[in-house]
Amino acid sequence: MEPAKNWYAVYTHARWEKKVADLLTRKKIENYCPLNRVERQWSDRKKIIHEPLFTCYVFVRLTNKERIPVLQTEGVLNYVSCMGKPAVIRDSEIDLIKNFLIDHINVRLEKFDVSINDTIRVKYGIFIEQEGKVIEVLDKTVRVLLPSLGYIMVAELPKSHIEVVKSKR
């Protein structure tokens, strides 16, 4: 039986995300560097560029035994830790990031340090049946929480596409 593989996040040097992902791929280490499609305006044209969504982070999927070669990769500083151990990121959260980036451009991240209120479930669209915690709802903007990463992704989602599963009121 093959040992279980988990997703972890590693810190990288600033602006080394793509390079680290390439070096990990060359070492045959499964990795994911989420790239955000961003529209940039130059004086004569607009262009879509791909830049890392999470600055100084690359995700790796591996077993406990495979963790050392990642740290020996140029540009990798350390694992993102929780209580002294590398923090495990759920597969569903990596899938959520991948699907989110397929459907949206100009995604922005916001760090959050707030209390969580209602638990919601998405009724329609790409996030159907996904449950999450409501951070804020203004007009059409719903903030989706990625708890083990400590970030929220912001995208416009009609209020009619969500339902309250559990109210904290």
Side-chain angles (χ1 to χ4, degrees):
M1 187 171 146
E2 200 172 301
K5 289 189 173 193
N6 292 311
W7 283 102
Y8 301 94
V10 294
Y11 291 114
T12 68
H13 287 292
R15 300 183 179 268
W16 272 64
E17 303 89 354
K18 289 180 184 180
K19 189 172 190 174
V20 165
D22 183 53
L23 292 170
L24 291 168
T25 299
R26 289 181 192 185
K27 287 184 171 187
K28 297 187 180 355
I29 296 172
E30 185 177 355
N31 68 84
Y32 176 52
C33 179
L35 297 176
N36 189 15
R37 294 171 295 162
V38 180
E39 186 176 68
R40 293 282 188 238
Q41 176 71 52
W42 276 266
S43 59
D44 62 336
R45 68 189 189 288
K46 286 183 181 180
K47 186 175 180 182
I48 300 285
I49 62 166
H50 294 85
E51 59 184 33
L53 178 63
F54 297 94
T55 57
C56 298
Y57 287 92
V58 172
F59 301 101
V60 292
R61 186 169 181 262
L62 37 84
T63 65
N64 276 337
K65 291 180 181 181
E66 298 172 314
R67 289 196 340 227
I68 298 299
V70 172
L71 292 175
Q72 296 169 336
T73 303
E74 186 180 6
V76 172
L77 299 174
N78 208 343
Y79 284 93
V80 175
S81 298
C82 181
M83 294 189 285
K85 294 183 178 181
V88 174
I89 298 164
R90 293 188 301 264
D91 289 352
S92 62
E93 291 187 27
I94 297 296
D95 292 341
L96 182 64
I97 294 167
K98 288 177 180 179
N99 290 331
F100 199 91
L101 290 174
I102 288 169
D103 284 355
H104 302 282
I105 66 169
N106 297 318
V107 173
R108 67 180 197 268
L109 295 177
E110 296 178 7
K111 191 75 173 153
F112 85 94
D113 293 310
V114 296
S115 297
I116 299 168
N117 294 325
D118 294 344
T119 301
I120 59 101
R121 179 182 304 119
V122 179
K123 300 188 304 184
Y124 308 102
I126 187 71
F127 303 114
I128 192 164
E129 296 303 314
Q130 289 284 330
E131 286 191 12
K133 301 290 182 181
V134 173
I135 302 301
E136 188 176 15
V137 178
L138 299 169
D139 282 339
K140 295 180 182 177
T141 304
V142 176
R143 294 190 176 172
V144 180
L145 174 65
L146 296 176
S148 61
L149 298 178
Y151 284 94
I152 50 178
M153 293 190 292
V154 179
E156 295 212 355
L157 195 70
K159 288 181 188 177
S160 61
H161 285 203
I162 64 170
E163 64 184 353
V164 175
V165 175
K166 184 177 173 185
S167 178
K168 297 282 184 175
R169 294 179 211 127

